[in-house]
Amino acid sequence: QVQLVESGGGLVQAGGSLRLSCAASGRTFSSYAMGWFRQAPGKERELVAGISRSGSSTYYADSVKGRFTISRDNAKNTVYLQMNSLKPEDAAVYYCAADLAPYASGRAYEYDYWGQGTQVTVSS
């Protein structure tokens, strides 16, 4: 069993930055690839960024490439999402998720555990 708790969301002006954190319980964090998803009202949940269990491989959606950075610290059981140059269209609830696999999947249904989500609001 893995519990995920996100933090770091909030209100930011367009062009600003936020850093999301996701703290995981349990001793097997390094066994999981991790993903950051987001869901805006009326839209499907989408994978924003993913990172392999070792941290050596990352994935980014085209819409966030060059602006967002995913990283993890397996010693601290934490995955991060640094979000720079935020746009109004980045506003959503952001979720972290754990996938018992070497690499992060783009399919939400393949993830085993989910956090409760953290709201990101970007004002124009």
Side-chain angles (χ1 to χ4, degrees):
Q1 188 79 6
V2 175
Q3 290 187 324
L4 304 173
V5 179
E6 302 101 334
S7 61
L11 172 64
V12 64
Q13 287 189 333
S17 298
L18 284 174
R19 188 194 197 201
L20 306 183
S21 298
C22 173
S25 65
R27 300 180 180 178
T28 59
F29 178 71
S30 60
S31 298
Y32 292 83
M34 299 298 295
W36 280 101
F37 287 77
R38 68 185 180 189
Q39 188 166 22
K43 295 188 177 181
E44 291 188 358
R45 191 169 297 193
E46 63 171 343
L47 178 67
V48 173
I51 189 166
S52 63
R53 58 173 60 155
S54 70
S56 62
S57 178
T58 57
Y59 163 85
Y60 297 95
D62 287 342
S63 58
V64 306
K65 279 181 182 176
R67 300 188 297 121
F68 290 11
T69 303
I70 188 171
S71 61
R72 67 187 298 162
D73 185 337
N74 285 347
K76 295 183 178 180
N77 283 10
T78 303
V79 62
Y80 305 96
L81 186 67
Q82 178 67 44
M83 305 187 295
N84 298 329
S85 302
L86 282 160
K87 304 175 181 180
E89 52 264 42
D90 294 319
V93 178
Y94 282 71
Y95 300 89
C96 70
D99 180 9
L100 189 59
Y103 299 98
S105 169
R107 293 176 285 272
Y109 66 82
E110 293 191 358
Y111 286 76
D112 303 285
Y113 301 101
W114 291 83
Q116 81 288 350
T118 186
Q119 178 72 50
V120 171
T121 304
V122 184
S123 63
S124 57

